[in-house]
Amino acid sequence: MTNPAADSAQRPLRVAIIGAGPAGVYAADILTKADRDFEVSIDLFDQYPAPYGLIRYGVAPDHPRIKGIVNALHKVLDRGDIRFLGNVNYGRDLTLADFRHFYDAIIFATGAIKDAPLNVPGVGLEGSFGGAEFVSWYDGHPDVPREWPLDAKEVAVIGNGNVALDVARILSKHADDLLTTEIPTNVYEGLKKSPVTDVHIFGRRGPAQVKFTPLELRELSHSRDVDIVLYPEDFEFDEGSDEQIRTNNQTKTMVNTLTNWLVEEQDTGASRRLHLHFLHSPVEIYDDPSNPGKVAGMKFERTELDGTGNVRGTGEIVDYPVQAVYRAIGYFGSELPEVGYDAQRGVIPNEGGRVINEDGAPVPGIYTTGWIKRGPVGLIGHTKGDALETIGFLLEDRLNLPAATHPDPSSITDLLEERGVKYTTWEGWLKLDAYERSLGASYIHPDPLTGELVRERVKVVDREEMTRISRGE
C-alpha cells in the first residue's frame, strides 16, 4: 500500500508543532527552507492566545535584545507559509490521537516553565517562591495570579544564572523605571508598593564559575538609585578558576567587571542595594517562632574552592535575615500526556529529537526540540541547532511516517470549532499586538525630564480578553 504521507504528488507533508516559542518557530522555519522535492504544510500550536513562548512570558521586560528576537520570530510567522493556532491546550483540547489523525509528524517544542526544585528545609514556608513563577507574574502570564506578595524589605535570590539576575534586578529596580517596557499595569502597581531595600543574590561557587553572561551582569549597574555591594571574602580563585579565566573570554570579562565593582565600592547612598554573594551553599530557610510559617531568614554554609573550580563545605554557617526567598536555580520541563517523560531531567526521552519509547525504540512520527528535548540550558543558538537536528531526522524518516487519515488543513479547525475551542490565529495576534501598542500610546505618566511618558506597549494579561481581541469578538 502506498503511504500518502510519502507521496509528494498526492499532497503536502502535514506537520504539527506544539509550542510557538523560539524552538517551535525555528523548527517550522528550518522545515520550510529545507532542500526537498515535496511540499510541507505546517501548523504551529500554542496553549496561549499569543505566540513567542518564553520570549513573551519568560524574559525580563527590560532586556533590550528581546525586541530583536521578537522581530525575527515575527518575520517567520508573517510570511504566511506557517499557520499559527493559539489558545489550544494539548492534552485537554486535543489529544495525541487527534494529532495522529490530522498530521504525519508531530514535534513537541513545549519548553520548560516550572522551577527546578531546591531541596532544603523550609522551602515550603510562606514567602518562599519559585523564580520562574515570579518571572511569569511580571511578564503578564495569563495563568498566574494578578497579585504578588511584595512585602519584604530584605530578599534572598538563590542562583547564579541569568534568571537569578533578572529576578533580582526586577525586585530591586524602581517601578517607574520599568514604564518604558511592556509590563502590565498590575505589575507596575505591585512593584510600586514594594518596600524592598536589600536584595541578596547567592551562588554556591566563586566569581569565575557564575552561569550568567556579561550583558546580564552589566545590566545590574544600569539600575537607578541601586547600589551594588560585593564582599572581598567571596573573591577566591583556585587553579581551576585561573584556567577558566585564561581560556574563556566571557569568564574573564565577568570577573574583571566584578573585581572592578569590588574595588570601586559603589556606595552612593542609594535607597536600594543589590548584594552579590559567592561561595554560599543553601542550608535552611527558617521562620520566626513569634510568626510561624513565614520566612524570617536563611542559613548558608560557606564553601571554598577545591582547586578544580568545584567547591567543598567549610562547616561555617552564616545567617541572613530575609523575609522572602526566590529560588532561581533553573527551569524544569513538564510531563505531557501520552508522551514519555524523564523525571530526572525534565525532558521527553529522545535520540537526536526522535522521541523514543520505554524500550529505547523511536516512536514513529513523534519528535521533539528545544528545552523539552535537551533540558533548559543554552541560548538561542543552541535552540536553532536543536531544531536543525530534529528536522534532519524527520526528513530522513519521511517515507516511513504513519500517514494522517484526515490531512486536509480545514479538518483540524473544523474539529476545534466543533469542540468549542476558541482558537486564535496569526491574524488575531496582529490585532492583539496592535491593541497592546495602542494601550501604550494612550498611557500617559508623568516624567521628570519630558513631562510625560508614552509607552510603546502595555501587555494584556487576561486570557479571555486576549482571546476576545484576537478573535474580534
Side-chain angles (χ1 to χ4, degrees), residues 31 45-47 67 71 98 116 134 139 157 240 242 250 252 281 317 320 327 340 386 397 406 412 446-447:
L31 181 55
F45 291 85
D46 204 276
Q47 63 178 316
K67 188 177 296 185
N71 288 342
D98 291 329
F134 182 58
D139 272 333
V157 179
D242 293 338
Q250 179 167 295
K252 182 178 180 180
S281 182
I317 302 298
Y320 294 86
R327 311 177 302 276
D386 268 348
D397 300 340
H406 297 84
I412 183 67
D447 184 272

Side-chain angles (χ1 to χ4, degrees), residues 152-221:
K153 289 187 176 181
E154 300 160 299
V155 179
V157 179
I158 313 303
N160 259 180
N162 287 337
V163 174
L165 291 191
D166 285 349
V167 168
R169 193 179 65 257
I170 296 297
L171 284 168
S172 60
K173 207 164 187 174
H174 291 276
D176 284 352
D177 295 335
L178 288 166
L179 281 175
T180 56
T181 75
E182 61 183 26
I183 63 167
T185 302
N186 67 294
V187 175
Y188 167 72
E189 292 173 347
L191 291 171
K192 182 73 173 175
K193 299 173 185 175
S194 172
V196 68
T197 59
D198 293 84
V199 177
H200 300 261
I201 305 175
F202 294 96
R204 191 174 60 88
R205 298 199 289 172
Q209 287 80 40
V210 295
K211 296 297 184 183
F212 37 74
T213 52
L215 176 63
E216 276 73 14
L217 179 61
R218 286 194 294 267
E219 283 182 357
L220 294 184
S221 64

